Amino acid sequence: MVHELADYERAPEQCHLTGEQLTAALFGAAPALFGHVAVDAAGQPIGFALWFLNFSTWEGVHGIYLEDLYVRPAARGTGAGRLLLATLAAICVERGYRRLDWWMINWNPAARFYAAIGATPMDEWVPYRLAGPALHELAAQVPAAPTQPDA
C-alpha cells in the first residue's frame, strides 16, 4: 500500500521502500517506526498509518508524528481513516502525549476530512528538508573524531 500512496501523491518514482525494509523498521531489534493497519470485514487490508515519536521541547513531552496515512480508494468514506487517526489520538491520550502532528500535500482533498475532526493547518511554519548531495556536504563538515591511543 505504500507504493499505492506514492502513486496517489503523484510520485511513484520516489518510492523505493521494499517489504524487507518496512519489516526491519517495524519489527527490528529497536524499532523507531510504528504502524497500524485497517482491515475490512473479510480481513483484507484497506488502509494504514505509519508513525514515530517526536518531542516538543516546549511541552516537555513526546508526541506522535504521523508519517503516512492511506486508505485505499474503495474504502474511503467507510470510517477507516477516522479510526486510524482515533487510534493514534487514543495512544497520545493514554501516554500523556500532547499532540498528533502530520503534513498533508496541499492539493489533497482530505483537508476537508481533517478540518471535520478538528485538525488545524499549521501554515505559519515553513517546512525544510536537507537531502541528497546537500545532506552529504553538510555531514562532511564534521571534523574527524580524534583517535584514542590503546590503553
Side-chain angles (χ1 to χ4, degrees):
M1 282 190 287
V2 171
H3 288 276
E4 290 176 32
L5 172 61
D7 285 339
Y8 176 76
E9 291 186 353
R10 305 174 188 159
E13 72 285 349
Q14 295 178 32
C15 186
H16 306 288
L17 180 72
T18 66
E20 293 80 19
Q21 288 173 314
L22 185 57
T23 298
L26 288 167
F27 305 110
L33 178 70
F34 308 94
H36 291 80
V37 176
V39 297
D40 63 16
Q44 295 301 307
I46 58 170
F48 70 88
L50 291 176
W51 58 277
F52 53 87
L53 294 179
N54 58 17
F55 186 81
S56 170
T57 53
W58 289 11
E59 295 283 345
V61 297
H62 283 290
I64 287 179
Y65 181 80
L66 175 61
E67 177 66 19
D68 287 312
L69 175 69
Y70 179 72
V71 176
R72 288 184 161 151
R76 292 181 188 153
T78 65
R82 178 181 291 270
L83 185 56
L84 285 165
L85 283 173
T87 299
L88 298 184
I91 292 169
C92 287
V93 170
E94 174 186 306
R95 297 181 184 177
Y97 303 162
R98 300 244 176 97
R99 59 191 193 197
L100 169 58
D101 296 316
W102 67 91
W103 287 27
M104 180 197 74
I105 208 160
N106 63 1
W107 52 260
N108 191 331
R112 291 186 309 274
F113 163 63
Y114 295 145
I117 63 169
T120 56
M122 301 289 294
D123 57 5
E124 70 270 16
W125 293 89
V126 178
Y128 283 86
R129 177 172 291 153
L130 190 60
L135 177 69
H136 289 272
E137 288 172 25
L138 185 60
Q141 295 176 24
V142 174
T147 57
Q148 298 290 331
D150 291 336

